[in-house]
Every structure is written in C-alpha cells, then in structure tokens.
Amino acid sequence: MKPIVNEVSVKTVITKSNLPVCDYSINPYVGCPHACKYCYASFMKRFTGHTEPWGTFLDVKYWEPIKDPGKYWQKEFFIGSVTDPYNPQETEYKRTRAFLEQLQGSGAKISIQTKSDLVLRDMDLIKTFPDARVGFSINTLDEDFKNNMDQAVSIKRRLAAMKAFHDAGVRTTCFISPIFPGITNVEAIIERVKEQCNLVWLEDLNLRGDYKKVTFDYIREKYPTLMPLYDEIYRHGNRRYWETLNSRLSIFAQEQGLRYVRDDDSFTQPFDAPPTVVNFFYHAEIKKSAKEGK
C-alpha cells in the first residue's frame, strides 16, 4: 500500500542535535513507509497532526536553499535520525539529494543512515564530502524475520549496497539495531559484514509506546518460549541479558581481531583497519557530553 503523501513547507531542514555522533540532524521527510514494527520514531506522530497509523503517511519537506553553507565547515550532519532519507518516494521527490547538493563543497561532514540501496544513486555526490559515512541498518540475516518487521528492501540488497560503497572508498557502518533478545544473531552479522564496513554499531531493542504491545504480541505469537525473557527485560527492567551479551561480544570481537568499545563516537580509524564495534546499549542514557568530550 502506498503511503498518503503530503508536500509541506518548513523554515529549515537543519536541526541541532543532542546525539553524540553529530552536530545537526537532517530529516527530509516526516514519517516513513518502511513501517517498521519496532520504530522508535513513531513518537513523532503526535507532533504532526496525523491520525493515520505510523508507516502509512509521508510528509515531503521543502525548505529555502541553505544560506552560506560554508558556515558548516567541519560540522557533522546525521541524515536520517527519525526517518529513512532514502524511502521509495525519494526517487520522485529527491529531497535528500537536494540537501546534499545544497551542502556540497561546504566542508561539512555527513553520515547517512538507511535501509535502502537507493542511496547508491547518490554515490558520486556523497563521495565529494570529506570522510562521508553511509550506514545500513541490519538486525538480522533472516529475510523472513525482516519481512515480518519492515517493508524496506531485502537484507541481501542492503549488504550489496554496503559493499559497493566500501569498495568505492566510502566509510560504511553496519547498524545492528534493534537487537531482538534471543532472535538477533549479532555475531553472525558481524562476521558477515566485517570485510565491508568500518564501524559496527550495536543498539538494544528499546520498547515503549504503542509499539511495545505490537512487539509483545509478535513475540507471543512467533516466539512464545521467549516471553519470559521479554517479561524480565521489558516489564521488570532486568539488564542481565544486555550485560551478558556485552561481555560475550567483547570476547568475540577480541577473537575476531576487532576493537570493541562502549558509547564511543570515534571515527578516526584508518579506512583499511578492521571495523570498530561500538556498543550503544542504553542509548537513552547517552549524554551530549559524550560528544563534547572527544
């Protein structure tokens, strides 16, 4: 089903960010037709006036051309913090491309996060930015589980796009998020991507709002034996699973010859070095000071 699309005018598409990995966040759209069942960004709905279910609408943003882009020299932009900048409608509206064109030559740094291989369209443009990074969200290698969770392109296509960027000399990130306890095989994903990415980000499944019930209903139906674990984590606040996983992944990374850190936003490793694995568990507790202290 195609989303309900509206074109809206905004003063600016540039928003100051509290994320530890950037100075500004960029979201050329409101809403996302990928309709991920676990989408944390569904909270945006209450600020938009939309009554439609999350995943069924898309607002296309139009803004005045960026004035004096040079003032953003060395500033870091994260494109796609609450919507996928390369949703299928980007082929028509090209708002993400418009932003990149307006910022081109400014000396700003960009990081893009997507679940789409449409980003390949803009590879030549992306390569003009210093130390550009393109991240792909992959929390499973199981296409059936992926199809149950979202309507984005296949994992196979995401992996192929990641490799294409990495082979072209563009830094890539594999964002293993959200990690579903007892379902996401983090080690298998790292082994699959370690030769074609520079960073691996890890993020826990954080359940709140409407999608907590959606997720619990799904687990109850498809993975009933995991319900005690999900109750322990998400109803009783027990962190034992995540701390155990952190310890296990630390050992695994060492065995694989990979650097493993927690809540680190460093992107300075040589391009040809093995990827750094960054644990962003409890991301809600990450403070702005993490970025200011680098």
Side-chain angles (χ1 to χ4, degrees):
M1 183 179 70
K2 290 185 178 180
I4 300 168
V5 177
N6 298 293
E7 299 181 35
V8 300
S9 297
V10 297
K11 291 182 179 180
T12 181
V13 73
I14 299 174
T15 303
K16 287 187 177 181
S17 176
N18 287 326
L19 294 172
V21 295
C22 64
D23 299 291
Y24 300 96
S25 61
I26 306 298
N27 291 286
Y29 301 90
V30 175
C32 183
H34 293 337
C36 303
K37 286 185 172 66
Y38 50 78
C39 184
Y40 68 89
S42 59
F43 75 90
M44 291 292 294
K45 179 179 168 181
R46 66 177 181 266
F47 301 116
T48 66
H50 284 278
T51 58
E52 308 92 332
W54 183 257
T56 66
F57 65 86
L58 186 73
D59 289 348
V60 182
K61 294 182 183 179
Y62 288 86
W63 56 88
E64 290 295 319
I66 298 172
K67 297 179 181 179
D68 188 20
K71 70 181 181 180
Y72 297 112
W73 183 80
Q74 291 292 297
K75 297 296 184 181
E76 297 193 17
F77 288 78
F78 189 92
I79 305 172
S81 61
V82 291
T83 186
D84 195 317
Y86 286 96
N87 62 67
Q89 285 66 37
E90 169 67 12
T91 58
E92 176 182 356
Y93 293 100
K94 301 179 181 178
R95 301 312 298 151
T96 299
R97 184 172 180 85
F99 173 76
L100 293 174
E101 290 174 339
Q102 292 171 25
L103 202 64
Q104 189 177 23
S106 65
K109 297 182 179 182
I110 60 169
S111 182
I112 297 168
Q113 193 63 37
T114 184
K115 291 180 178 174
S116 174
D117 53 359
L118 177 58
V119 65
L120 289 166
R121 180 200 65 187
D122 294 340
M123 181 186 287
D124 287 347
L125 180 54
I126 292 167
K127 287 172 67 175
T128 67
F129 287 83
D131 298 325
R133 299 182 297 275
V134 179
F136 295 88
S137 297
I138 297 172
N139 73 340
T140 183
L141 298 177
D142 182 343
E143 298 286 3
D144 289 335
F145 178 68
K146 172 265 158 196
N147 290 335
N148 283 333
M149 289 292 110
D150 69 59
Q151 298 174 24
V153 303
S154 68
I155 300 300
K156 181 179 179 180
R157 287 172 59 177
R158 297 180 210 179
L159 290 169
M162 180 192 298
K163 186 177 188 302
F165 272 99
H166 193 263
D167 288 350
V170 178
R171 295 177 184 273
T172 54
T173 300
C174 180
F175 192 19
I176 305 178
S177 171
I179 295 171
F180 275 73
I183 300 174
T184 300
N185 188 333
V186 179
E187 290 94 334
I189 298 173
I190 292 174
E191 284 196 282
R192 175 63 180 81
V193 303
K194 66 181 182 180
E195 302 297 333
Q196 60 185 64
C197 69
N198 304 90
L199 281 169
V200 177
W201 285 351
L202 310 175
E203 187 177 56
D204 54 310
L205 175 65
N206 184 15
L207 295 182
R208 61 179 183 271
D210 294 341
Y211 62 93
K212 181 175 182 178
K213 181 181 184 304
V214 171
T215 300
F216 264 75
D217 288 346
Y218 173 80
I219 297 298
R220 188 176 292 107
E221 177 186 355
K222 300 291 186 178
Y223 299 90
T225 60
L226 291 179
M227 278 307 300
L229 175 62
Y230 279 70
D231 281 332
E232 178 183 313
I233 297 172
Y234 297 107
R235 286 181 173 152
H236 301 293
N238 193 322
R239 294 185 172 186
R240 180 172 53 190
Y241 178 85
W242 299 113
E243 294 301 335
T244 300
L245 180 60
N246 171 62
S247 298
R248 193 178 83 210
L249 291 176
S250 177
I251 295 171
F252 173 78
Q254 185 177 16
E255 292 173 346
Q256 296 289 314
L258 310 178
R259 179 171 174 247
Y260 184 85
V261 296
R262 296 193 69 165
D263 299 350
D264 187 289
D265 61 332
S266 173
F267 307 112
T268 57
Q269 74 273 25
F271 182 85
D272 293 329
T276 294
V277 180
V278 186
N279 179 330
F280 281 116
F281 293 173
Y282 317 131
H283 61 282
E285 299 174 8
I286 298 173
K287 304 298 183 182
K288 177 71 171 177
S289 60
K291 181 179 189 305
E292 294 170 343
K294 70 176 180 179

